[in-house]
Amino acid sequence: MFDQDSWRARIAEQMHKFTRNPQQEIQISGTSSVLGYLAVRTLEPFLHAFQREPVAAVLTLAEMVQGPGADIIVRRAGRIRFQLSTLIERELRSQAELRSAVEQLIVGLNVIHLARQRLNSSRDEWLRVTLLAELDGYPPTELEQLRRLLHDPGWQSRYETIRSLRQREGIYTAADLVLLHDGLNDSAAHVRAAAARMLGLFASTPPALLVKALTRVALYDCDLETRYAAARTLGLLGDRIASPQLIDHLSLCLSDADPFVRSAAALALGQLGELAGTREIVGKLTDLIGDRDPYAREAAARAIGRLGVAAATTSVINALLRAMEDEDANVHDAAIDAVTRLRKVKATLPLTVSKANETMPV
């Protein structure tokens, strides 16, 4: 049944492409402004639900917006569904009531947060500045909630609050852990990265919910700095969190359809090092060296070099030697580094252990 949660979830799904290339996605959508794009993405789930569950759709809308603007949306829902992208900007500019209703929906459904959540810091700032400039084209007494939301310097204060946890020297209270969890889900990349780093200083074993949030950031965050900070923290927490379930999850992600996720999973496994050194992981990372995506190939090579004894086999080293001929310079360098590491490991192994390692079935 259509409700606010399902409405918000559908908006979040639609925002996935936006976070990869915001400006291109705005053009593809048929709009020419950030506000128009956000309005389209906000209204689309309602218009779709209105065709299937009109009563539930209208009741859900009424929970958040009432008045002339909501009436306009309901009256025109059937007609504008397939023309929304071409009509929305003109309608917003000409009808103050509709502007007010759309603003309430954008704020009430946390659309700005959903849009900014996975943007890296530069794109996040682009979104904020561009949208503020667009809002300047409307009367200053209108769209005040959006203006306040965008002018909110909250991420800086949240960033400093999280960084101040360094003074605790890893002894965190329950409230501190809640703060870190919220930080990992923050819309600002700087805050997410800071939360990941501070979690890495935790002197005890973090709750499963925090580990889950940290893993999600390490795998899916679109900001490289944030993703690396989360992966590094997975490594720092190491034996306290390296459960079979976590290793299996990262192993599955090595086969993900998205090369972005494959490379992130390899990065995380590399940070876990020998704790992730199972034969299955070694085999999958070795296969990933031949991936079509150069970032995945590089991440796989670097990860293999950190897995220790399990990866110090002739077949793995031979695969890395072939990777040294890769046309991508970063893959080449990663393969050289991995071969150097594994040869050092192999040289320290007793002969019997080395032979057993070569013949052990995968």
Side-chain angles (χ1 to χ4, degrees):
M1 181 176 174
F2 187 72
D3 56 18
Q4 289 188 40
D5 289 337
S6 61
W7 193 341
R8 191 175 293 109
R10 291 176 194 176
I11 293 172
E13 290 174 7
Q14 295 168 336
M15 287 295 178
H16 181 68
K17 292 181 181 178
F18 178 77
T19 59
R20 293 295 180 87
N21 195 328
Q23 291 163 294
Q24 177 179 293
E25 184 60 18
I26 289 172
Q27 293 176 345
I28 292 174
S29 73
T31 59
S32 60
S33 66
V34 175
L35 180 60
Y37 176 82
L38 295 179
V40 167
R41 291 295 176 249
T42 300
L43 291 173
E44 276 179 339
F46 168 80
L47 297 177
H48 181 75
F50 187 79
Q51 302 301 313
R52 297 171 176 267
E53 310 170 71
V55 175
V58 172
L59 289 175
T60 302
L61 176 68
E63 290 174 1
M64 293 181 287
V65 184
Q66 295 185 19
D71 294 339
I72 292 172
I73 293 172
V74 174
R75 282 200 307 269
R76 304 196 60 185
R79 287 179 291 169
I80 67 172
R81 180 185 175 193
F82 299 107
Q83 306 175 58
L84 184 60
S85 295
T86 56
L87 295 177
I88 190 63
E89 288 171 314
R90 185 182 68 190
E91 297 291 333
L92 285 173
R93 191 158 293 282
S94 62
Q95 301 191 61
E97 296 87 354
L98 181 61
R99 288 197 294 272
S100 176
V102 168
E103 177 191 31
Q104 291 178 62
L105 289 174
I106 289 175
V107 173
L109 292 166
N110 294 325
V111 177
I112 298 294
H113 174 76
L114 293 174
R116 299 174 70 178
Q117 189 171 25
R118 287 191 171 185
L119 292 176
N120 61 33
S121 53
S122 60
R123 284 177 173 170
D124 177 54
E125 183 62 11
W126 169 84
L127 174 69
R128 192 185 72 84
V129 171
T130 303
L131 188 50
L132 279 172
E134 291 175 5
L135 296 180
D136 286 341
Y138 295 94
T141 56
E142 296 183 16
L143 304 174
E144 292 180 334
Q145 292 183 72
L146 279 179
R147 295 179 206 271
R148 282 197 299 271
L149 196 61
L150 294 167
H151 278 300
D152 176 25
W155 77 263
Q156 288 98 335
S157 62
R158 296 193 299 274
Y159 175 76
E160 294 301 332
T161 300
I162 288 174
R163 279 179 54 85
S164 70
L165 293 180
R166 187 179 294 274
Q167 301 171 5
R168 304 287 178 87
E169 298 183 346
I171 310 300
Y172 297 154
T173 65
D176 294 336
L177 295 178
V178 170
L179 176 65
L180 290 176
H181 183 270
D182 291 344
L184 290 171
N185 291 283
D186 199 272
S187 61
H190 293 306
V191 177
R192 298 195 300 274
R197 292 191 188 98
M198 291 303 104
L199 183 56
L201 301 179
F202 190 34
S204 186
T205 301
L209 192 63
L210 261 177
V211 176
K212 183 178 180 180
L214 180 68
T215 305
R216 177 182 51 74
V217 172
L219 290 173
Y220 301 109
D221 201 285
C222 67
D223 183 68
L224 177 60
E225 178 187 353
T226 304
R227 195 165 67 250
Y228 181 76
R232 181 167 171 75
T233 292
L234 286 175
L236 290 172
L237 296 174
D239 53 0
R240 284 173 279 165
I241 64 169
S243 64
Q245 292 80 10
L246 175 60
I247 302 300
D248 287 345
H249 178 59
L250 294 175
S251 176
L252 286 174
C253 290
L254 291 175
S255 304
D256 196 276
D258 190 341
F260 183 92
V261 177
R262 295 198 298 273
S263 60
L267 174 64
L269 287 165
Q271 291 298 317
L272 287 171
E274 294 189 17
L275 292 169
T278 67
R279 301 294 288 179
E280 179 186 3
I281 295 294
V282 171
K284 284 193 171 185
L285 285 172
T286 303
D287 292 340
L288 197 62
I289 293 176
D291 195 89
R292 64 182 181 277
D293 181 70
Y295 294 104
R297 297 199 300 272
E298 178 191 354
R302 294 195 185 283
I304 287 175
R306 296 174 176 272
L307 296 188
V309 175
T313 66
T314 301
S315 60
V316 173
I317 291 175
N318 285 340
L320 289 168
L321 290 173
R322 291 191 294 272
M324 288 167 58
E325 301 174 5
D326 196 292
E327 60 184 14
D328 187 285
N330 292 321
V331 178
H332 169 81
D333 292 344
I336 290 176
D337 180 67
V339 168
T340 303
R341 287 172 178 267
L342 293 181
R343 281 178 170 167
K344 287 181 179 178
V345 171
K346 195 171 184 180
T348 63
L349 294 176
L351 184 59
T352 54
V353 174
S354 181
K355 287 184 176 180
N357 200 34
E358 297 287 350
T359 58
M360 188 181 298
V362 177

